[in-house]
Amino acid sequence: MRMIKWQNGTVITPDQTKLPLQEATLEIKTVEQMAEAIKTLRVRGAPLLGAAAGFGVAIAAYRSKAKTTKQLLAELETAGALIKAQRPTAVNLFWGVDRVLGKAKTFSGGVEELKAAVIEEAQKIADEDAAQNRAIGKNGSVLIEDGDTILTHCNAGELATVEYGTALGVIRAAWEGGKKIKVIADETRPLLQGARLTAYELKRDGIPVTLITDNMAAHVMSKGLVDKVIVGADRIVQDAVFNKIGTYGVAVLAHEHKIPFYVAAPKSTFDLSCKAADVTIEERKPEEVTHVGCQQTAPDGVAVYNPAFDATPLKYVTAIICETKVYYSKDFPAFKKGKL
Ligand code: MRU
């Protein structure tokens, strides 16, 4: 199912903050609405953020009343800057904006043609992501054996992409290929993407899923209940994989228990120009930690640290599953040279 659609200047996408209790649809008509949806995680997940970023710039083009291409380009730059300012870690957000702006800057033609080219480029990002996730699924499914139990963290599923998912894409492809697999989903505090979104998607699709709290991962691994770990990524740099907070801990646990730790991500998630130390980790508001939903669970005024992502050093990663190939540890040194 398509998670993001362009319909005559309006972007249609699920409001992920409402799931799993309510299947609400957002109709995003302005760049400001897109920025708000990204900031509040109504739209979330690295590959979906790439597509949303492209469509955000496309909305600016569609709504523009600019008389000259120079004026239009300036408006697109402003829209792109607003979108990029919403979240700092997932590189796809920046990549999506830059790809559409890059197209606009090199385009020669009138205002209306430029608008059409921008919208077309945004649509292309979405179409390509859908195809890439199927390819990731196919490449990764060969790593999964019949009967495997796979632990995943956060939501790297259909909801986090344009279609099919990355980590859950691999799981879906294995399941569709007839492998009888099971999934263990970490609930993923503080915003519960595992409980709200991964459990929802897999349950809906009939793929056996068992939900655990994050602090149960060590125990289930020590009991021999996990054969593989597969997660998505928000940014892959020369020396690490950034993903939802808690991923690093899961990777260390997998290493200790000799369980393969796989990352599934499209090439748009790679940023080999930088190292882990160069990446800004998003810090979110204290209420996400002091409350569960609307219920306060901590004393008023307690100090809170709420990083949304962490960096897993590549030494803990068994392989990275991409749309073109699977990168193993022997391939990782090339990342330092910026090569894929
Ligand atoms: O804060 P979120 O929900 O946007 O974080 C999402 C993740 O960390 C996902 O695991 C990642 O984007 C990969 S999605 C295919």
Side-chain angles (χ1 to χ4, degrees):
M1 209 168 76
R2 278 278 155 139
M3 285 301 116
I4 193 160
K5 285 185 210 145
W6 175 266
Q7 252 174 33
N8 306 322
T10 300
V11 174
I12 312 287
T13 189
D15 182 344
Q16 300 197 31
T17 59
K18 300 277 194 288
L19 287 168
L21 300 181
Q22 206 186 323
E23 291 177 349
T25 301
L26 287 174
E27 293 188 7
I28 300 173
K29 293 181 190 296
T30 66
V31 181
E32 290 72 24
Q33 285 170 1
M34 180 61 89
E36 190 270 350
I38 291 170
K39 182 91 192 163
T40 55
L41 271 60
R42 295 183 202 283
V43 175
R44 48 136 314 267
L48 186 64
L49 288 174
F55 281 135
V57 178
I59 288 176
Y62 185 87
R63 305 257 160 235
S64 173
K65 299 205 173 3
K67 295 273 182 288
T68 65
T69 52
K70 196 173 166 212
Q71 228 181 339
L72 177 55
L73 276 174
E75 288 177 18
L76 299 183
E77 296 260 18
T78 305
L82 179 68
I83 289 163
K84 284 182 178 183
Q86 301 311 310
R87 298 190 75 189
T89 310
V91 74
N92 307 59
L93 187 69
F94 302 84
W95 171 87
V97 167
D98 289 340
R99 180 163 153 181
V100 174
L101 285 182
K103 177 80 189 181
K105 283 179 198 158
T106 53
F107 187 81
S108 55
V111 170
E112 290 313 311
E113 288 92 340
L114 176 53
K115 287 184 180 182
V118 163
I119 295 165
E120 193 187 327
E121 191 66 11
Q123 186 60 54
K124 254 189 181 173
I125 291 178
D127 293 342
E128 287 171 16
D129 185 68
Q132 284 157 3
N133 294 326
R134 303 260 168 194
I136 288 171
K138 190 162 173 257
N139 290 341
S141 65
V142 296
L143 301 168
I144 309 300
E145 285 159 68
D146 195 21
D148 272 352
T149 297
I150 301 158
L151 184 138
T152 190
H153 189 75
C154 194
N155 172 263
E158 178 178 87
L159 286 159
T161 62
V162 174
E163 247 180 53
Y164 208 62
T166 55
L168 296 196
V170 172
I171 288 167
R172 276 202 172 91
W175 178 258
E176 287 165 6
K179 291 178 185 165
K180 293 274 170 278
I181 53 176
K182 291 182 190 149
V183 178
I184 295 178
D186 283 350
E187 67 170 351
T188 318
R189 272 282 287 155
L191 292 181
L192 304 173
Q193 288 92 332
R196 293 189 300 106
L197 309 175
T198 295
Y200 161 81
E201 273 193 37
L202 294 177
K203 200 159 177 295
R204 181 200 60 196
D205 293 353
I207 301 175
V209 56
T210 301
L211 181 64
I212 61 169
T213 62
D214 300 327
N215 52 357
M216 294 172 188
H219 176 73
V220 296
M221 285 188 192
S222 76
K223 290 284 175 195
L225 299 177
V226 178
D227 299 299
K228 272 145 202 149
V229 175
I230 309 182
V231 296
D234 289 87
R235 190 185 295 226
I236 300 171
V237 297
Q238 289 178 9
D239 51 352
V241 171
F242 284 81
N243 192 46
K244 180 53 57 194
I245 191 75
T247 302
Y248 176 30
V250 173
V252 173
L253 287 173
H255 183 77
E256 172 65 20
H257 293 92
K258 301 190 173 37
I259 297 167
F261 180 89
Y262 297 116
V263 175
K267 287 191 171 165
S268 53
T269 304
F270 281 78
D271 181 11
L272 298 180
S273 66
C274 60
K275 294 193 169 93
D278 307 323
V279 177
T280 303
I281 293 185
E282 178 181 9
E283 281 185 41
R284 297 186 62 87
K285 54 185 187 182
E287 290 74 19
E288 292 179 358
V289 176
T290 56
H291 290 62
V292 177
C294 296
Q295 179 67 51
Q296 186 172 336
T297 54
D300 285 335
V302 67
V304 168
Y305 176 46
N306 185 18
F309 300 95
D310 60 24
T312 298
L314 287 179
K315 70 172 179 176
Y316 293 117
V317 178
T318 310
I320 302 177
I321 305 158
C322 272
E323 63 270 33
T324 47
K325 63 178 274 193
V326 178
Y327 294 91
Y328 291 94
S329 51
K330 67 174 172 42
D331 304 311
F332 297 165
F335 294 178
K336 290 209 165 59
K337 298 185 189 120
K339 284 200 192 131
L340 260 183

